[in-house]
Amino acid sequence: KAMAGHSGQKVIQDEVHQNQILRELFLKELRAQKLYTQYHVNPLRKAKFLNLIHHAAQGPRKKYAETQTETQEIGWDPNPLVSPERQDNRLNHFRVYNDITLYKAKLWSLGEDDHQK
């Protein structure tokens, strides 16, 4: 490398000298860097920040009057579309056990592996 004072001479740097330069550069960068682990809210904007946090913590139904995405449309209205009457057989298909179905269910619960038969 050419030095400013010696325009025609080249200085041969050995590995120790190169390592010393890198070490000085590293220490200089460490002095300039600071790791901040404690944060605080600007007191002049604290109210705006707290309002933003409280708004973000609310559910979508409290934030918006109507859905913002198509995915929110599912389950947006909590009221069921059809009244859940238990006696209406059109919607409720309960499991009914007869003698043979009760026998098979008991056999399968005991571990018999004849599902295919």
Side-chain angles (χ1 to χ4, degrees):
K1 290 184 177 183
M3 299 203 46
H6 308 281
S7 59
Q9 288 182 318
K10 287 191 176 182
V11 178
I12 301 173
Q13 295 180 349
D14 58 346
E15 191 175 334
V16 174
H17 184 69
Q18 192 70 22
N19 192 16
Q20 183 181 5
I21 292 173
L22 288 175
R23 184 177 183 275
E24 289 175 7
L25 183 67
F26 176 72
L27 291 175
K28 185 177 179 183
E29 287 178 358
L30 275 181
R31 279 195 307 264
Q33 293 177 354
K34 289 184 180 178
L35 179 64
Y36 292 102
T37 57
Q38 294 181 349
Y39 301 99
H40 64 278
V41 177
N42 186 348
L44 301 176
R45 296 183 176 210
K46 189 172 188 176
K48 184 178 179 182
F49 177 75
L50 289 177
N51 287 339
L52 183 70
I53 293 295
H54 289 306
H55 181 72
Q58 291 177 345
R61 288 180 45 88
K62 292 183 180 177
K63 279 194 237 179
Y64 311 111
E66 52 188 42
T67 61
Q68 301 297 305
T69 63
E70 289 186 21
T71 316
Q72 287 179 344
E73 290 179 9
I74 301 170
W76 186 263
D77 191 17
N79 301 328
L81 298 175
V82 179
S83 63
E85 293 180 17
R86 305 294 270 172
Q87 291 78 21
D88 190 3
N89 289 335
R90 295 176 297 171
L91 300 175
N92 300 313
H93 303 285
F94 299 110
R95 185 174 289 192
V96 178
Y97 287 109
N98 292 332
D99 290 339
I100 190 69
T101 55
L102 192 60
Y103 169 76
K104 271 299 195 188
K106 187 67 174 171
L107 226 115
W108 287 344
S109 70
L110 292 175
E112 294 292 325
D113 196 21
D114 63 346
H115 291 278
Q116 309 301 330
K117 295 180 182 178

